[in-house]
Amino acid sequence: MNKLTSLNFMDLDDFTREEILLILETTRELKLEAKRGFFHPYLKHKALGCIFDQPSTRTRISFELAIQQLGGYVTYLKPGEIHLGKKESIYDTAKVLSRFFDAIMIRWNSYDEMKELADNATVPVINGMTEKNHPCQALADIYTMMERFDDIRNKKVVFFGDRTQPAHSLGVICSKLGLDFVHCSPKKYAILPAYTAIFNRNNKISGGTYLHIDDIDKACAGAHVIYTDVWWWIGQENEEEERKQLFAPYQVTADILAKCDNNVIFEHCLPAMRGVEVTDDVMDGPHSVIYDQAENRMHTEKALMVLLMT
Ligand code: CP
């Protein structure tokens, strides 16, 4: 039986603080087992379908290895390789995939289409990133913070740059768990009210805070985590020049990290554009935990699947 109240994993806001902590504690146990070379077949003979309408390195590899290490099978459907929404209705695809798979992981630009798939599937649907959010990334982001800090509550997490899907999901998980989340960007690119309303509602319960600020020095003061993401993505290429100019002061550099808490860590969901939103010395420097984050995608997704699929 699914040990979480939601059948699907589409948005972290669908889960309680306790459920998110259960995923993170399960991650700790599974990662420890894996590091000891022990792979219990929690998902023996379970099948995962992975559907993508965009390229991926981490999401594809982490889900494929996660299910295989837990004794299951995976089918990868790359962009353009499934009828979904084109030659076949989302409804019919959901019904058919539910006969083959025990869960479906989907990276799909349209959140609404992903939701339609989930509403009509009879197996869990996991959001591998949509135009709105990237909840699997946020699990790895916060788990990586937990590995570095004894207690993550009231840690100050500052997201520099564009209001990307990882920014939205990071804000949601911080608000669920009681962290202080700051978005530092030009005002034009502040996180939209639809999301800040969610942060503020959750913070009333968790004790966390949310602030948008364009002042870099104020954002950095006392910051425990500095996070950034690319300044433009697929479909925004025509805005490249404007974005480069506007975001230039928000590039994460060694000078930025020097303004933060001494033990600050640097996170990036990757892929990064080195020399654009972040400098090489930060990516490769002593504060960087970017490759831990990438690896932790696999461990957190194992935990998620075990809780959703058993
Ligand atoms: N962070 C992330 O989702 O990476 P991929 O696009 O490589 O999956």
Side-chain angles (χ1 to χ4, degrees), residues 56-59 107 134 137 269-270 297:
S56 163
T57 299
R58 280 144 291 272
T59 303
R107 168 169 290 190
H134 199 352
Q137 182 64 51
C269 52
L270 305 177
R297 289 289 306 273

Side-chain angles (χ1 to χ4, degrees), residues 17 21 23 37 44 64-65 81 119 121 140 156 168 200 202-203 221 251 256 266-267 269 281 299:
R17 168 189 162 83
L21 290 174
I23 299 170
K44 191 171 181 183
E64 287 194 356
L65 285 178
E81 250 191 12
D119 287 345
K156 182 176 176 181
H168 289 157
N200 293 334
N202 291 339
N203 283 333
Q251 184 189 51
I256 295 258
F266 170 70
E267 291 199 348
C269 52
D281 55 350
H299 302 296

Side-chain angles (χ1 to χ4, degrees), residues 77-95:
L77 292 151
K78 68 183 179 189
E81 250 191 12
I82 185 165
H83 297 306
L84 177 62
K86 294 192 176 80
K87 287 186 178 166
E88 186 166 51
S89 68
I90 295 174
Y91 177 90
D92 282 341
T93 304
K95 297 298 179 201

Side-chain angles (χ1 to χ4, degrees), residues 38-192:
F38 181 62
F39 299 93
H40 187 87
Y42 295 103
L43 298 179
K44 191 171 181 183
H45 299 317
K46 300 270 186 187
L48 176 73
C50 289
I51 303 169
F52 289 83
D53 72 350
Q54 293 164 22
S56 163
T57 299
R58 280 144 291 272
T59 303
R60 176 184 175 180
I61 295 169
S62 57
F63 270 101
E64 287 194 356
L65 285 178
I67 186 92
Q68 288 170 334
Q69 288 185 5
L70 295 174
Y73 315 116
V74 64
T75 298
Y76 168 63
L77 292 151
K78 68 183 179 189
E81 250 191 12
I82 185 165
H83 297 306
L84 177 62
K86 294 192 176 80
K87 287 186 178 166
E88 186 166 51
S89 68
I90 295 174
Y91 177 90
D92 282 341
T93 304
K95 297 298 179 201
V96 170
L97 295 186
S98 299
R99 295 294 181 99
F100 292 122
F101 298 124
D102 298 288
I104 301 161
M105 193 289 301
I106 179 163
R107 168 169 290 190
W108 203 254
N109 188 52
S110 167
Y111 183 89
D112 291 343
E113 288 180 6
M114 184 201 63
K115 186 170 181 319
E116 190 181 339
L117 183 80
D119 287 345
N120 291 294
T122 54
V123 298
V125 171
I126 299 171
N127 177 351
M129 193 171 87
T130 66
E131 67 205 329
K132 281 174 64 171
N133 57 1
H134 199 352
C136 290
Q137 182 64 51
L139 287 178
D141 300 341
I142 210 87
Y143 185 76
T144 306
M145 294 178 207
M146 292 172 83
E147 289 185 315
R148 296 290 168 146
F149 300 114
D150 290 339
D151 185 358
I152 56 165
R153 270 173 309 173
N154 297 118
K155 286 287 179 288
K156 182 176 176 181
V157 178
V158 184
F159 191 100
F160 270 76
D162 193 17
R163 53 184 175 218
T164 58
Q165 304 96 323
H168 289 157
S169 291
L170 186 62
V172 173
I173 203 164
C174 285
S175 69
K176 286 279 180 180
L177 300 183
L179 284 78
D180 297 325
F181 182 61
V182 176
H183 181 212
C184 184
S185 76
K187 284 192 178 69
K188 180 176 175 184
Y189 290 99
I191 291 176
L192 296 172

Side-chain angles (χ1 to χ4, degrees), residues 263-278:
N263 295 318
V264 67
I265 59 171
F266 170 70
E267 291 199 348
H268 194 307
C269 52
L270 305 177
M273 290 192 203
R274 285 172 174 257
V276 181
E277 74 272 9
V278 56

